[in-house]
Amino acid sequence: MTAIISSFLTFTGVVTNMVKSREWSRKTREEVITLHRKGNGYKKIAKMLNIPRDTIGSIIRKFKAKGTVETLPGCGRKKMLTSTAVRYLKRRVEKSPRVTAEELRKDLSDVGTEVSAQTIRRTLRNEGLHARTPRRTPLLSPKNKKSRLQYDKSHVDKPQTFWDSVLWTDETKLELFGPMDQRYVWRRKNMAYEEKNTLPTVKHGGGSIMLWGCFASAGTGKLQRVQGTMNSLQYQEILDDNVMQSVTNLRLGRRWTFQQDNDPKHTSKSTTAWLQIKGWNILEWPSQSPDLNPIENLWWDLKKAVAVRKPKNVTELEAFAHDEWAKIPVDRCKTLVSSYASRLKAVYNCKRMCTKY
């Protein structure tokens, strides 16, 4: 009875091709073609190479039809989504980037196309569209956008010598257990809480410091810790202690330009009057534009370098920061400033929105 059922299944095609036949090497297939061209028949070639005659015939027929002995890609499973459906998915996500795969699945289901959310994700990946965490950027109002465009137009034709004479300044916050210390770990299942696979946390962040720094094309300038909450008066004291010394060390000359953002402490009446007394040339600055300040790139470099050294307390955090700030190569500073024209072009090309910088 078993033999009868087996024969029936084979006859109806259920068992047929369930076991993949052996695939002969390319060298062997080439030998078959060579022997065939010399006038040898299927039976003789099969005996010479110890290969079934049916296989010999299959290799030769394929060569005559396709002109090759290479393994050709199979037809594969029929695609679940039509080209029209794929175009719809692409249009939908390009118009609404936050739409989910499940929402797209429901949209297709409503018109009679049943596929899984995973199929939709795979299809979009094949089309070059990948789900990514959105980049965080400053919120730009129409006024901000207009200001950025005006800044771009008034400075796009500035010579490189102008940018080389700018002293770029800013403040940043360094945390003892900051985001730079967060990364992926390779671990096995059920080993998530082993000490080597965890990231220690403490209440209130474990401590942090605020730093004021400056740099120019010639290298990094002074770096100073901000004590407590900085107000206009303390900001003026920091500038008085550090700016002119940095200008001298970096050899910016007499026609140097001071850059600062539009933080309230920087633009208060008190600070504005203080800067007028100093007589410094102030670079006009559009609000909400950290991407236009190359010192942001140095802050990123600094935070990465300090995180690698794993400071244990705030004292080490400050010491490491000063140490790593001094180590930043002059070439790094020069490259950031020499490419400033590219930042301005990016502002214009992205229609005054935030740039990749």
Side-chain angles (χ1 to χ4, degrees), residues 85-105 107-108 117 120-132:
V86 174
R87 286 196 300 271
Y88 165 77
L89 293 175
K90 290 168 62 177
R91 286 197 304 269
R92 184 85 160 81
V93 298
E94 287 171 354
K95 184 178 179 180
S96 305
R98 296 180 185 273
V99 67
T100 66
E102 182 59 28
E103 289 171 340
L104 293 172
R105 186 198 67 77
D107 288 348
L108 294 179
I120 291 174
R121 296 187 190 98
R122 183 170 57 250
T123 300
L124 291 174
R125 284 196 297 268
N126 291 338
E127 296 296 325
L129 294 164
H130 303 270
R132 296 287 187 266

PDB file of all heavy atoms in Angstrom, residues 85-105 107-108 117 120-132:
ATOM      1  N   ALA A  85       1.691  48.734  -6.864  1.00  0.00           N
ATOM      2  CA  ALA A  85       1.636  48.784  -5.403  1.00  0.00           C
ATOM      3  C   ALA A  85       2.944  49.327  -4.836  1.00  0.00           C
ATOM      4  O   ALA A  85       2.941  50.095  -3.865  1.00  0.00           O
ATOM      5  CB  ALA A  85       1.354  47.401  -4.837  1.00  0.00           C
ATOM      6  N   VAL A  86       4.063  48.935  -5.437  1.00  0.00           N
ATOM      7  CA  VAL A  86       5.360  49.422  -4.974  1.00  0.00           C
ATOM      8  C   VAL A  86       5.469  50.933  -5.168  1.00  0.00           C
ATOM      9  O   VAL A  86       5.946  51.657  -4.294  1.00  0.00           O
ATOM     10  CB  VAL A  86       6.510  48.700  -5.711  1.00  0.00           C
ATOM     11  CG1 VAL A  86       7.852  49.313  -5.341  1.00  0.00           C
ATOM     12  CG2 VAL A  86       6.505  47.210  -5.376  1.00  0.00           C
ATOM     13  N   ARG A  87       4.996  51.420  -6.317  1.00  0.00           N
ATOM     14  CA  ARG A  87       5.030  52.860  -6.563  1.00  0.00           C
ATOM     15  C   ARG A  87       4.157  53.607  -5.554  1.00  0.00           C
ATOM     16  O   ARG A  87       4.511  54.694  -5.096  1.00  0.00           O
ATOM     17  CB  ARG A  87       4.556  53.168  -7.992  1.00  0.00           C
ATOM     18  CG  ARG A  87       5.577  52.797  -9.061  1.00  0.00           C
ATOM     19  CD  ARG A  87       5.230  53.467 -10.389  1.00  0.00           C
ATOM     20  NE  ARG A  87       3.923  53.069 -10.892  1.00  0.00           N
ATOM     21  CZ  ARG A  87       3.713  52.019 -11.684  1.00  0.00           C
ATOM     22  NH1 ARG A  87       4.743  51.247 -12.046  1.00  0.00           N
ATOM     23  NH2 ARG A  87       2.500  51.722 -12.114  1.00  0.00           N
ATOM     24  N   TYR A  88       3.020  53.019  -5.202  1.00  0.00           N
ATOM     25  CA  TYR A  88       2.143  53.634  -4.201  1.00  0.00           C
ATOM     26  C   TYR A  88       2.872  53.748  -2.861  1.00  0.00           C
ATOM     27  O   TYR A  88       2.824  54.796  -2.203  1.00  0.00           O
ATOM     28  CB  TYR A  88       0.866  52.823  -4.027  1.00  0.00           C
ATOM     29  CG  TYR A  88       0.113  53.186  -2.775  1.00  0.00           C
ATOM     30  CD1 TYR A  88      -0.650  54.349  -2.713  1.00  0.00           C
ATOM     31  CD2 TYR A  88       0.205  52.384  -1.631  1.00  0.00           C
ATOM     32  CE1 TYR A  88      -1.319  54.707  -1.546  1.00  0.00           C
ATOM     33  CE2 TYR A  88      -0.449  52.740  -0.459  1.00  0.00           C
ATOM     34  CZ  TYR A  88      -1.209  53.895  -0.424  1.00  0.00           C
ATOM     35  OH  TYR A  88      -1.851  54.256   0.734  1.00  0.00           O
ATOM     36  N   LEU A  89       3.536  52.661  -2.445  1.00  0.00           N
ATOM     37  CA  LEU A  89       4.255  52.668  -1.171  1.00  0.00           C
ATOM     38  C   LEU A  89       5.337  53.744  -1.154  1.00  0.00           C
ATOM     39  O   LEU A  89       5.504  54.467  -0.161  1.00  0.00           O
ATOM     40  CB  LEU A  89       4.878  51.295  -0.906  1.00  0.00           C
ATOM     41  CG  LEU A  89       3.905  50.139  -0.654  1.00  0.00           C
ATOM     42  CD1 LEU A  89       4.674  48.833  -0.535  1.00  0.00           C
ATOM     43  CD2 LEU A  89       3.073  50.387   0.600  1.00  0.00           C
ATOM     44  N   LYS A  90       6.060  53.863  -2.254  1.00  0.00           N
ATOM     45  CA  LYS A  90       7.128  54.859  -2.330  1.00  0.00           C
ATOM     46  C   LYS A  90       6.564  56.276  -2.232  1.00  0.00           C
ATOM     47  O   LYS A  90       7.092  57.116  -1.500  1.00  0.00           O
ATOM     48  CB  LYS A  90       7.915  54.681  -3.631  1.00  0.00           C
ATOM     49  CG  LYS A  90       8.762  53.422  -3.676  1.00  0.00           C
ATOM     50  CD  LYS A  90       9.285  53.134  -5.065  1.00  0.00           C
ATOM     51  CE  LYS A  90      10.191  54.218  -5.569  1.00  0.00           C
ATOM     52  NZ  LYS A  90      10.743  53.896  -6.899  1.00  0.00           N
ATOM     53  N   ARG A  91       5.476  56.529  -2.965  1.00  0.00           N
ATOM     54  CA  ARG A  91       4.869  57.856  -2.905  1.00  0.00           C
ATOM     55  C   ARG A  91       4.354  58.165  -1.498  1.00  0.00           C
ATOM     56  O   ARG A  91       4.482  59.284  -1.007  1.00  0.00           O
ATOM     57  CB  ARG A  91       3.715  57.962  -3.907  1.00  0.00           C
ATOM     58  CG  ARG A  91       4.143  58.065  -5.359  1.00  0.00           C
ATOM     59  CD  ARG A  91       2.987  58.571  -6.232  1.00  0.00           C
ATOM     60  NE  ARG A  91       1.803  57.734  -6.103  1.00  0.00           N
ATOM     61  CZ  ARG A  91       1.532  56.682  -6.867  1.00  0.00           C
ATOM     62  NH1 ARG A  91       2.390  56.333  -7.820  1.00  0.00           N
ATOM     63  NH2 ARG A  91       0.425  55.988  -6.692  1.00  0.00           N
ATOM     64  N   ARG A  92       3.772  57.155  -0.882  1.00  0.00           N
ATOM     65  CA  ARG A  92       3.164  57.344   0.444  1.00  0.00           C
ATOM     66  C   ARG A  92       4.218  57.698   1.489  1.00  0.00           C
ATOM     67  O   ARG A  92       4.030  58.636   2.268  1.00  0.00           O
ATOM     68  CB  ARG A  92       2.445  56.050   0.836  1.00  0.00           C
ATOM     69  CG  ARG A  92       1.681  56.122   2.146  1.00  0.00           C
ATOM     70  CD  ARG A  92       0.307  56.696   1.939  1.00  0.00           C
ATOM     71  NE  ARG A  92      -0.560  56.325   3.041  1.00  0.00           N
ATOM     72  CZ  ARG A  92      -0.587  56.946   4.211  1.00  0.00           C
ATOM     73  NH1 ARG A  92       0.204  57.980   4.431  1.00  0.00           N
ATOM     74  NH2 ARG A  92      -1.415  56.546   5.167  1.00  0.00           N
ATOM     75  N   VAL A  93       5.331  56.960   1.528  1.00  0.00           N
ATOM     76  CA  VAL A  93       6.335  57.225   2.559  1.00  0.00           C
ATOM     77  C   VAL A  93       7.128  58.498   2.261  1.00  0.00           C
ATOM     78  O   VAL A  93       7.609  59.168   3.184  1.00  0.00           O
ATOM     79  CB  VAL A  93       7.301  56.036   2.725  1.00  0.00           C
ATOM     80  CG1 VAL A  93       6.561  54.799   3.180  1.00  0.00           C
ATOM     81  CG2 VAL A  93       8.057  55.744   1.436  1.00  0.00           C
ATOM     82  N   GLU A  94       7.276  58.841   0.979  1.00  0.00           N
ATOM     83  CA  GLU A  94       7.980  60.082   0.655  1.00  0.00           C
ATOM     84  C   GLU A  94       7.138  61.301   1.022  1.00  0.00           C
ATOM     85  O   GLU A  94       7.668  62.354   1.386  1.00  0.00           O
ATOM     86  CB  GLU A  94       8.350  60.102  -0.824  1.00  0.00           C
ATOM     87  CG  GLU A  94       9.501  59.140  -1.148  1.00  0.00           C
ATOM     88  CD  GLU A  94       9.733  58.980  -2.638  1.00  0.00           C
ATOM     89  OE1 GLU A  94       8.934  59.534  -3.429  1.00  0.00           O
ATOM     90  OE2 GLU A  94      10.702  58.302  -3.013  1.00  0.00           O
ATOM     91  N   LYS A  95       5.822  61.150   0.943  1.00  0.00           N
ATOM     92  CA  LYS A  95       4.922  62.237   1.326  1.00  0.00           C
ATOM     93  C   LYS A  95       4.726  62.275   2.836  1.00  0.00           C
ATOM     94  O   LYS A  95       4.647  63.354   3.433  1.00  0.00           O
ATOM     95  CB  LYS A  95       3.565  62.052   0.634  1.00  0.00           C
ATOM     96  CG  LYS A  95       2.598  63.194   0.904  1.00  0.00           C
ATOM     97  CD  LYS A  95       1.284  62.984   0.153  1.00  0.00           C
ATOM     98  CE  LYS A  95       0.305  64.120   0.429  1.00  0.00           C
ATOM     99  NZ  LYS A  95      -0.980  63.929  -0.293  1.00  0.00           N
ATOM    100  N   SER A  96       4.637  61.095   3.463  1.00  0.00           N
ATOM    101  CA  SER A  96       4.425  61.008   4.917  1.00  0.00           C
ATOM    102  C   SER A  96       5.471  60.072   5.523  1.00  0.00           C
ATOM    103  O   SER A  96       5.191  58.876   5.740  1.00  0.00           O
ATOM    104  CB  SER A  96       3.011  60.497   5.223  1.00  0.00           C
ATOM    105  OG  SER A  96       2.037  61.298   4.592  1.00  0.00           O
ATOM    106  N   PRO A  97       6.677  60.561   5.799  1.00  0.00           N
ATOM    107  CA  PRO A  97       7.761  59.696   6.283  1.00  0.00           C
ATOM    108  C   PRO A  97       7.468  58.982   7.598  1.00  0.00           C
ATOM    109  O   PRO A  97       8.083  57.962   7.892  1.00  0.00           O
ATOM    110  CB  PRO A  97       8.937  60.668   6.442  1.00  0.00           C
ATOM    111  CG  PRO A  97       8.604  61.827   5.572  1.00  0.00           C
ATOM    112  CD  PRO A  97       7.125  61.945   5.610  1.00  0.00           C
ATOM    113  N   ARG A  98       6.518  59.483   8.390  1.00  0.00           N
ATOM    114  CA  ARG A  98       6.242  58.889   9.690  1.00  0.00           C
ATOM    115  C   ARG A  98       5.183  57.779   9.636  1.00  0.00           C
ATOM    116  O   ARG A  98       4.837  57.208  10.665  1.00  0.00           O
ATOM    117  CB  ARG A  98       5.810  59.969  10.683  1.00  0.00           C
ATOM    118  CG  ARG A  98       6.905  60.998  10.958  1.00  0.00           C
ATOM    119  CD  ARG A  98       6.442  62.044  11.952  1.00  0.00           C
ATOM    120  NE  ARG A  98       7.446  63.081  12.119  1.00  0.00           N
ATOM    121  CZ  ARG A  98       8.454  63.022  12.980  1.00  0.00           C
ATOM    122  NH1 ARG A  98       8.564  61.969  13.768  1.00  0.00           N
ATOM    123  NH2 ARG A  98       9.324  64.001  13.072  1.00  0.00           N
ATOM    124  N   VAL A  99       4.666  57.472   8.452  1.00  0.00           N
ATOM    125  CA  VAL A  99       3.671  56.413   8.338  1.00  0.00           C
ATOM    126  C   VAL A  99       4.324  55.079   8.691  1.00  0.00           C
ATOM    127  O   VAL A  99       5.486  54.833   8.372  1.00  0.00           O
ATOM    128  CB  VAL A  99       3.074  56.381   6.912  1.00  0.00           C
ATOM    129  CG1 VAL A  99       4.104  55.975   5.885  1.00  0.00           C
ATOM    130  CG2 VAL A  99       1.870  55.451   6.854  1.00  0.00           C
ATOM    131  N   THR A 100       3.586  54.196   9.367  1.00  0.00           N
ATOM    132  CA  THR A 100       4.138  52.915   9.797  1.00  0.00           C
ATOM    133  C   THR A 100       3.857  51.818   8.770  1.00  0.00           C
ATOM    134  O   THR A 100       2.950  51.949   7.940  1.00  0.00           O
ATOM    135  CB  THR A 100       3.545  52.492  11.152  1.00  0.00           C
ATOM    136  OG1 THR A 100       2.138  52.230  10.982  1.00  0.00           O
ATOM    137  CG2 THR A 100       3.740  53.588  12.193  1.00  0.00           C
ATOM    138  N   ALA A 101       4.625  50.735   8.856  1.00  0.00           N
ATOM    139  CA  ALA A 101       4.421  49.607   7.955  1.00  0.00           C
ATOM    140  C   ALA A 101       3.041  48.989   8.165  1.00  0.00           C
ATOM    141  O   ALA A 101       2.403  48.526   7.217  1.00  0.00           O
ATOM    142  CB  ALA A 101       5.512  48.562   8.172  1.00  0.00           C
ATOM    143  N   GLU A 102       2.559  49.004   9.392  1.00  0.00           N
ATOM    144  CA  GLU A 102       1.238  48.447   9.681  1.00  0.00           C
ATOM    145  C   GLU A 102       0.144  49.298   9.032  1.00  0.00           C
ATOM    146  O   GLU A 102      -0.846  48.767   8.508  1.00  0.00           O
ATOM    147  CB  GLU A 102       1.027  48.371  11.192  1.00  0.00           C
ATOM    148  CG  GLU A 102      -0.308  47.765  11.617  1.00  0.00           C
ATOM    149  CD  GLU A 102      -0.510  46.344  11.112  1.00  0.00           C
ATOM    150  OE1 GLU A 102       0.501  45.629  10.906  1.00  0.00           O
ATOM    151  OE2 GLU A 102      -1.677  45.953  10.925  1.00  0.00           O
ATOM    152  N   GLU A 103       0.325  50.603   9.040  1.00  0.00           N
ATOM    153  CA  GLU A 103      -0.659  51.488   8.389  1.00  0.00           C
ATOM    154  C   GLU A 103      -0.648  51.266   6.875  1.00  0.00           C
ATOM    155  O   GLU A 103      -1.700  51.268   6.232  1.00  0.00           O
ATOM    156  CB  GLU A 103      -0.333  52.947   8.716  1.00  0.00           C
ATOM    157  CG  GLU A 103      -0.614  53.316  10.163  1.00  0.00           C
ATOM    158  CD  GLU A 103      -0.095  54.691  10.526  1.00  0.00           C
ATOM    159  OE1 GLU A 103       0.794  55.205   9.810  1.00  0.00           O
ATOM    160  OE2 GLU A 103      -0.579  55.256  11.534  1.00  0.00           O
ATOM    161  N   LEU A 104       0.526  51.054   6.322  1.00  0.00           N
ATOM    162  CA  LEU A 104       0.622  50.774   4.889  1.00  0.00           C
ATOM    163  C   LEU A 104      -0.025  49.442   4.553  1.00  0.00           C
ATOM    164  O   LEU A 104      -0.667  49.290   3.509  1.00  0.00           O
ATOM    165  CB  LEU A 104       2.092  50.780   4.459  1.00  0.00           C
ATOM    166  CG  LEU A 104       2.802  52.137   4.528  1.00  0.00           C
ATOM    167  CD1 LEU A 104       4.289  51.955   4.254  1.00  0.00           C
ATOM    168  CD2 LEU A 104       2.197  53.117   3.536  1.00  0.00           C
ATOM    169  N   ARG A 105       0.152  48.464   5.450  1.00  0.00           N
ATOM    170  CA  ARG A 105      -0.469  47.150   5.229  1.00  0.00           C
ATOM    171  C   ARG A 105      -1.983  47.276   5.179  1.00  0.00           C
ATOM    172  O   ARG A 105      -2.653  46.666   4.332  1.00  0.00           O
ATOM    173  CB  ARG A 105      -0.049  46.186   6.337  1.00  0.00           C
ATOM    174  CG  ARG A 105      -0.538  44.750   6.122  1.00  0.00           C
ATOM    175  CD  ARG A 105      -0.480  43.958   7.406  1.00  0.00           C
ATOM    176  NE  ARG A 105      -1.428  44.460   8.387  1.00  0.00           N
ATOM    177  CZ  ARG A 105      -2.738  44.228   8.348  1.00  0.00           C
ATOM    178  NH1 ARG A 105      -3.268  43.520   7.359  1.00  0.00           N
ATOM    179  NH2 ARG A 105      -3.526  44.716   9.294  1.00  0.00           N
ATOM    180  N   ASP A 107      -3.677  49.945   4.344  1.00  0.00           N
ATOM    181  CA  ASP A 107      -4.044  50.648   3.106  1.00  0.00           C
ATOM    182  C   ASP A 107      -4.149  49.673   1.942  1.00  0.00           C
ATOM    183  O   ASP A 107      -5.096  49.723   1.147  1.00  0.00           O
ATOM    184  CB  ASP A 107      -2.998  51.720   2.779  1.00  0.00           C
ATOM    185  CG  ASP A 107      -3.075  52.902   3.730  1.00  0.00           C
ATOM    186  OD1 ASP A 107      -4.064  52.981   4.481  1.00  0.00           O
ATOM    187  OD2 ASP A 107      -2.141  53.726   3.730  1.00  0.00           O
ATOM    188  N   LEU A 108      -3.163  48.769   1.833  1.00  0.00           N
ATOM    189  CA  LEU A 108      -3.181  47.788   0.744  1.00  0.00           C
ATOM    190  C   LEU A 108      -4.310  46.778   0.936  1.00  0.00           C
ATOM    191  O   LEU A 108      -4.932  46.336  -0.028  1.00  0.00           O
ATOM    192  CB  LEU A 108      -1.833  47.070   0.663  1.00  0.00           C
ATOM    193  CG  LEU A 108      -0.631  47.933   0.249  1.00  0.00           C
ATOM    194  CD1 LEU A 108       0.639  47.086   0.229  1.00  0.00           C
ATOM    195  CD2 LEU A 108      -0.852  48.558  -1.121  1.00  0.00           C
ATOM    196  N   ALA A 117       3.278  43.196   7.132  1.00  0.00           N
ATOM    197  CA  ALA A 117       4.034  44.435   7.350  1.00  0.00           C
ATOM    198  C   ALA A 117       5.515  44.216   7.055  1.00  0.00           C
ATOM    199  O   ALA A 117       6.203  45.104   6.570  1.00  0.00           O
ATOM    200  CB  ALA A 117       3.841  44.926   8.789  1.00  0.00           C
ATOM    201  N   ILE A 120       6.238  44.631   3.451  1.00  0.00           N
ATOM    202  CA  ILE A 120       6.276  46.049   3.093  1.00  0.00           C
ATOM    203  C   ILE A 120       7.622  46.652   3.486  1.00  0.00           C
ATOM    204  O   ILE A 120       8.220  47.406   2.716  1.00  0.00           O
ATOM    205  CB  ILE A 120       5.117  46.793   3.770  1.00  0.00           C
ATOM    206  CG1 ILE A 120       3.787  46.348   3.147  1.00  0.00           C
ATOM    207  CG2 ILE A 120       5.289  48.305   3.666  1.00  0.00           C
ATOM    208  CD1 ILE A 120       2.574  46.901   3.837  1.00  0.00           C
ATOM    209  N   ARG A 121       8.106  46.310   4.677  1.00  0.00           N
ATOM    210  CA  ARG A 121       9.419  46.831   5.099  1.00  0.00           C
ATOM    211  C   ARG A 121      10.513  46.368   4.149  1.00  0.00           C
ATOM    212  O   ARG A 121      11.389  47.149   3.759  1.00  0.00           O
ATOM    213  CB  ARG A 121       9.734  46.360   6.524  1.00  0.00           C
ATOM    214  CG  ARG A 121       8.788  46.891   7.589  1.00  0.00           C
ATOM    215  CD  ARG A 121       9.274  46.513   8.977  1.00  0.00           C
ATOM    216  NE  ARG A 121       8.278  46.815   9.986  1.00  0.00           N
ATOM    217  CZ  ARG A 121       7.431  45.924  10.494  1.00  0.00           C
ATOM    218  NH1 ARG A 121       7.476  44.666  10.100  1.00  0.00           N
ATOM    219  NH2 ARG A 121       6.541  46.289  11.405  1.00  0.00           N
ATOM    220  N   ARG A 122      10.475  45.089   3.787  1.00  0.00           N
ATOM    221  CA  ARG A 122      11.495  44.535   2.887  1.00  0.00           C
ATOM    222  C   ARG A 122      11.426  45.200   1.510  1.00  0.00           C
ATOM    223  O   ARG A 122      12.457  45.521   0.913  1.00  0.00           O
ATOM    224  CB  ARG A 122      11.308  43.024   2.766  1.00  0.00           C
ATOM    225  CG  ARG A 122      12.374  42.344   1.907  1.00  0.00           C
ATOM    226  CD  ARG A 122      12.294  40.832   2.011  1.00  0.00           C
ATOM    227  NE  ARG A 122      10.985  40.338   1.645  1.00  0.00           N
ATOM    228  CZ  ARG A 122      10.111  39.820   2.504  1.00  0.00           C
ATOM    229  NH1 ARG A 122      10.398  39.761   3.799  1.00  0.00           N
ATOM    230  NH2 ARG A 122       8.933  39.376   2.084  1.00  0.00           N
ATOM    231  N   THR A 123      10.222  45.431   1.029  1.00  0.00           N
ATOM    232  CA  THR A 123      10.051  46.079  -0.278  1.00  0.00           C
ATOM    233  C   THR A 123      10.618  47.488  -0.268  1.00  0.00           C
ATOM    234  O   THR A 123      11.310  47.902  -1.199  1.00  0.00           O
ATOM    235  CB  THR A 123       8.565  46.113  -0.658  1.00  0.00           C
ATOM    236  OG1 THR A 123       8.054  44.773  -0.729  1.00  0.00           O
ATOM    237  CG2 THR A 123       8.361  46.799  -1.999  1.00  0.00           C
ATOM    238  N   LEU A 124      10.331  48.243   0.792  1.00  0.00           N
ATOM    239  CA  LEU A 124      10.819  49.615   0.886  1.00  0.00           C
ATOM    240  C   LEU A 124      12.344  49.644   1.014  1.00  0.00           C
ATOM    241  O   LEU A 124      13.004  50.527   0.447  1.00  0.00           O
ATOM    242  CB  LEU A 124      10.169  50.328   2.070  1.00  0.00           C
ATOM    243  CG  LEU A 124       8.669  50.618   1.913  1.00  0.00           C
ATOM    244  CD1 LEU A 124       8.096  51.192   3.196  1.00  0.00           C
ATOM    245  CD2 LEU A 124       8.429  51.583   0.759  1.00  0.00           C
ATOM    246  N   ARG A 125      12.903  48.687   1.745  1.00  0.00           N
ATOM    247  CA  ARG A 125      14.368  48.620   1.851  1.00  0.00           C
ATOM    248  C   ARG A 125      14.986  48.375   0.482  1.00  0.00           C
ATOM    249  O   ARG A 125      16.023  48.951   0.143  1.00  0.00           O
ATOM    250  CB  ARG A 125      14.793  47.538   2.838  1.00  0.00           C
ATOM    251  CG  ARG A 125      14.606  47.911   4.293  1.00  0.00           C
ATOM    252  CD  ARG A 125      15.390  46.987   5.204  1.00  0.00           C
ATOM    253  NE  ARG A 125      14.921  45.607   5.117  1.00  0.00           N
ATOM    254  CZ  ARG A 125      14.001  45.088   5.905  1.00  0.00           C
ATOM    255  NH1 ARG A 125      13.427  45.838   6.842  1.00  0.00           N
ATOM    256  NH2 ARG A 125      13.639  43.820   5.784  1.00  0.00           N
ATOM    257  N   ASN A 126      14.354  47.486  -0.299  1.00  0.00           N
ATOM    258  CA  ASN A 126      14.858  47.205  -1.648  1.00  0.00           C
ATOM    259  C   ASN A 126      14.795  48.442  -2.540  1.00  0.00           C
ATOM    260  O   ASN A 126      15.548  48.549  -3.512  1.00  0.00           O
ATOM    261  CB  ASN A 126      14.066  46.058  -2.285  1.00  0.00           C
ATOM    262  CG  ASN A 126      14.332  44.731  -1.615  1.00  0.00           C
ATOM    263  OD1 ASN A 126      15.365  44.539  -0.965  1.00  0.00           O
ATOM    264  ND2 ASN A 126      13.406  43.792  -1.747  1.00  0.00           N
ATOM    265  N   GLU A 127      13.890  49.358  -2.210  1.00  0.00           N
ATOM    266  CA  GLU A 127      13.752  50.595  -2.976  1.00  0.00           C
ATOM    267  C   GLU A 127      14.617  51.722  -2.405  1.00  0.00           C
ATOM    268  O   GLU A 127      14.520  52.866  -2.832  1.00  0.00           O
ATOM    269  CB  GLU A 127      12.283  51.040  -3.001  1.00  0.00           C
ATOM    270  CG  GLU A 127      11.352  50.086  -3.721  1.00  0.00           C
ATOM    271  CD  GLU A 127      11.679  49.960  -5.210  1.00  0.00           C
ATOM    272  OE1 GLU A 127      12.092  50.975  -5.805  1.00  0.00           O
ATOM    273  OE2 GLU A 127      11.519  48.847  -5.757  1.00  0.00           O
ATOM    274  N   GLY A 128      15.465  51.371  -1.426  1.00  0.00           N
ATOM    275  CA  GLY A 128      16.376  52.362  -0.849  1.00  0.00           C
ATOM    276  C   GLY A 128      15.774  53.199   0.260  1.00  0.00           C
ATOM    277  O   GLY A 128      16.356  54.208   0.662  1.00  0.00           O
ATOM    278  N   LEU A 129      14.609  52.802   0.784  1.00  0.00           N
ATOM    279  CA  LEU A 129      13.951  53.539   1.856  1.00  0.00           C
ATOM    280  C   LEU A 129      14.046  52.742   3.148  1.00  0.00           C
ATOM    281  O   LEU A 129      13.525  51.627   3.237  1.00  0.00           O
ATOM    282  CB  LEU A 129      12.483  53.800   1.495  1.00  0.00           C
ATOM    283  CG  LEU A 129      12.267  54.729   0.300  1.00  0.00           C
ATOM    284  CD1 LEU A 129      10.836  54.606  -0.219  1.00  0.00           C
ATOM    285  CD2 LEU A 129      12.582  56.163   0.674  1.00  0.00           C
ATOM    286  N   HIS A 130      14.730  53.285   4.153  1.00  0.00           N
ATOM    287  CA  HIS A 130      14.985  52.579   5.401  1.00  0.00           C
ATOM    288  C   HIS A 130      14.394  53.350   6.578  1.00  0.00           C
ATOM    289  O   HIS A 130      14.416  54.583   6.595  1.00  0.00           O
ATOM    290  CB  HIS A 130      16.492  52.407   5.617  1.00  0.00           C
ATOM    291  CG  HIS A 130      17.182  51.699   4.499  1.00  0.00           C
ATOM    292  ND1 HIS A 130      17.332  50.329   4.453  1.00  0.00           N
ATOM    293  CD2 HIS A 130      17.749  52.176   3.354  1.00  0.00           C
ATOM    294  CE1 HIS A 130      17.972  49.989   3.340  1.00  0.00           C
ATOM    295  NE2 HIS A 130      18.235  51.097   2.661  1.00  0.00           N
ATOM    296  N   ALA A 131      13.873  52.623   7.544  1.00  0.00           N
ATOM    297  CA  ALA A 131      13.340  53.248   8.756  1.00  0.00           C
ATOM    298  C   ALA A 131      14.505  53.683   9.635  1.00  0.00           C
ATOM    299  O   ALA A 131      15.364  52.878   9.979  1.00  0.00           O
ATOM    300  CB  ALA A 131      12.448  52.258   9.506  1.00  0.00           C
ATOM    301  N   ARG A 132      14.566  54.941   9.982  1.00  0.00           N
ATOM    302  CA  ARG A 132      15.646  55.503  10.780  1.00  0.00           C
ATOM    303  C   ARG A 132      15.078  56.435  11.851  1.00  0.00           C
ATOM    304  O   ARG A 132      14.000  57.001  11.691  1.00  0.00           O
ATOM    305  CB  ARG A 132      16.620  56.294   9.901  1.00  0.00           C
ATOM    306  CG  ARG A 132      17.357  55.457   8.860  1.00  0.00           C
ATOM    307  CD  ARG A 132      18.407  54.590   9.526  1.00  0.00           C
ATOM    308  NE  ARG A 132      19.237  53.909   8.541  1.00  0.00           N
ATOM    309  CZ  ARG A 132      19.023  52.685   8.088  1.00  0.00           C
ATOM    310  NH1 ARG A 132      17.965  52.015   8.531  1.00  0.00           N
ATOM    311  NH2 ARG A 132      19.844  52.135   7.214  1.00  0.00           N
TER     312      ARG A 132
END
